[in-house]
């Protein structure tokens, strides 16, 4: 158990440092590489939670597709070394994100979080879900939640087209 705790804290620290790197690095290419590091560390956290399916999806979709698309788009932009120029919305964005963070902290501290052991659910059902979640998730995605699954794929396609439109030469 102590080994899993050490791995958890290493991955968590990697996520936080990588996210700070994405925010504070002026070089956009290095910020994108830090984003890849964050995505990989989050996939490691999924593996620690025994959610292997989500870890593989995290690696395939975010690291393999989104991050590579971002890096590909950055290579076609000019003046990558200049970084992002400061704009006038930094103070309102900081204020809005601070308000959102305080609301999330308030809600998470005031909400009564029931444990899964206290809920009246069939124990065999819980054991089946936590033993191998991939068939359960596949069954849910392709039967009960087929429409939201397709909506997310259309959203990702729209993001891809939007990113290519932003990178394209005028």
């Amino acid at each position: 158990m102590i080994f899993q705790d050490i791995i958890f804290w290493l991955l968590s620290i990697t996520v936080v440092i990588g996210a700070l790197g994405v925010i504070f690095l002026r070089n956009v290419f290095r910020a994108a590489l830090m984003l890849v590091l964050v995505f990989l560390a989050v996939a490691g956290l999924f593996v620690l939670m025994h959610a292997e399916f989500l870890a593989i999806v995290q690696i395939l979709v975010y690291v393999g597709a989104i991050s590579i698309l971002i890096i590909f788009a950055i290579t076609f932009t000019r003046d990558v070394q200049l970084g992002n120029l400061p704009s006038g919305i930094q103070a309102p964005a900081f204020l809005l994100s601070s308000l959102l963070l305080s609301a999330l902290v308030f809600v998470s501290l005031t909400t009564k979080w029931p444990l899964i052991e206290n809920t009246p659910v069939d124990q065999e059902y819980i054991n089946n879900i936590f033993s191998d979640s991939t068939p359960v998730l596949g069954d849910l995605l392709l039967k009960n939640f087929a429409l939201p699954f397709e909506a997310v794929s259309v959203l990702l396609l729209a993001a891809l087209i939007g990113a290519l439109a932003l990178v394209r030469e005028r």
Side-chain angles (χ1 to χ4, degrees):
M1 193 62 165
I2 190 79
F3 179 70
Q4 288 179 343
D5 291 341
I6 292 171
I7 297 297
F8 169 78
W9 284 108
L10 286 175
L11 288 172
S12 299
I13 291 170
T14 303
V15 167
V16 170
I17 290 174
L20 289 174
V22 170
I23 294 170
F24 291 117
L25 283 176
R26 293 201 43 87
N27 188 334
V28 182
F29 184 74
R30 288 187 180 149
L33 290 179
M34 294 299 280
L35 186 64
V36 171
L37 178 70
V38 169
F39 288 153
L40 287 173
V42 169
L45 289 173
F46 282 140
V47 169
L48 281 179
M49 291 187 294
H50 299 289
E52 292 85 8
F53 177 76
L54 291 177
I56 294 299
V57 168
Q58 174 82 15
I59 290 173
L60 287 176
V61 172
Y62 288 103
V63 176
I66 304 296
S67 299
I68 300 304
L69 176 70
I70 290 171
I71 292 172
F72 183 70
I74 289 171
T75 58
F76 284 115
T77 58
R78 295 184 192 145
D79 300 327
V80 173
Q81 301 299 326
L82 292 179
N84 294 331
L85 299 176
S87 63
I89 64 167
Q90 287 179 339
F94 179 74
L95 179 66
L96 181 67
S97 60
S98 298
L99 288 173
L100 181 64
L101 176 66
S102 61
L104 287 174
V105 168
F106 175 75
V107 167
S108 65
L109 290 178
T110 58
T111 302
K112 183 180 178 196
W113 300 96
L115 297 176
I116 201 166
E117 292 90 18
N118 297 337
T119 57
V121 178
D122 185 23
Q123 190 63 34
E124 181 181 338
Y125 180 73
I126 293 173
N127 290 338
N128 286 340
I129 289 177
F130 287 131
S131 63
D132 188 13
S133 62
T134 306
V136 176
L137 283 173
D139 189 48
L140 287 173
L141 280 177
L142 297 176
K143 287 184 180 172
N144 299 353
F145 296 103
L147 183 64
F149 183 70
E150 291 301 322
V152 168
S153 67
V154 170
L155 177 69
L156 287 174
L157 178 64
L160 175 80
I161 292 171
L164 290 175
L166 288 174
V167 172
R168 188 176 51 123
E169 293 268 345
R170 301 278 185 258

